[in-house]
Amino acid sequence: MYIDLILLIIIIVAVVMYFRNFSAFVFIVAITDILLRILSFIRSNIGLPDFKAFLAKYFPDSIFAIIDKYTKGDISIILKWLFVIIMIFFLYYVIKIWIKKKKF
C-alpha cells in the first residue's frame, strides 16, 4: 500500500508548514532517511524474528527504497538525483553548524 509514501509526505509537509524554511525541509528529509537506515540495520542484525518481520513490514530501507518502490525509469532517476542534492544541502548545513560551534 502507499502508507509509507503518504506518511513521509505528511511529515515533510507538516515540518515545512511549521518552520517555513528550506533548511527545515532538508533536515527532515535527512533525519527520516537516517532513521530508516538505522531501522534497516537493526532489522538485518537482530535475532528476534517477530521484531524483524514488524520492521520489514512497516518500515522501508531508505528513501531510495521508497523511490524505487513507487517509480520506474526516468522519474526514478530524477527523484534520486533530487534526493542526492538535498543530502548535499544537508551536508552543507551540518558543516556550517559544526564550523560555527568549533570556532577554529
Side-chain angles (χ1 to χ4, degrees):
M1 194 94 182
Y2 295 106
I3 299 297
D4 50 358
L5 181 63
I6 293 169
L7 189 60
L8 178 64
I9 291 171
I10 289 172
I11 291 170
I12 289 172
V13 168
V15 168
V16 169
M17 288 177 61
Y18 182 74
F19 289 108
R20 299 185 190 265
N21 59 8
F22 181 69
S23 64
F25 168 73
V26 170
F27 275 106
I28 195 63
V29 170
I31 290 168
T32 304
D33 189 59
I34 292 168
L35 175 67
L36 291 174
R37 289 175 188 267
I38 290 170
L39 290 174
S40 176
F41 175 81
I42 290 170
R43 181 180 69 224
S44 62
N45 291 303
I46 196 161
L48 304 171
D50 292 336
F51 189 64
K52 248 185 192 181
F54 172 78
L55 289 178
K57 183 176 181 181
Y58 292 109
F59 296 100
D61 288 335
S62 65
I63 292 181
F64 269 1
I66 294 172
I67 292 171
D68 284 338
K69 185 175 180 181
Y70 296 111
T71 61
K72 300 285 183 231
D74 291 340
I75 293 175
S76 177
I77 293 169
I78 291 168
L79 289 175
K80 286 179 181 179
W81 275 105
L82 286 173
F83 178 74
V84 169
I85 291 168
I86 290 169
M87 294 307 282
I88 290 169
F89 278 111
F90 173 70
L91 185 61
Y92 166 75
Y93 287 132
V94 168
I95 291 171
K96 184 175 144 182
I97 292 169
W98 180 70
I99 288 173
K100 280 185 180 179
K101 297 277 183 182
K102 196 72 172 163
K103 295 191 183 188
F104 289 107

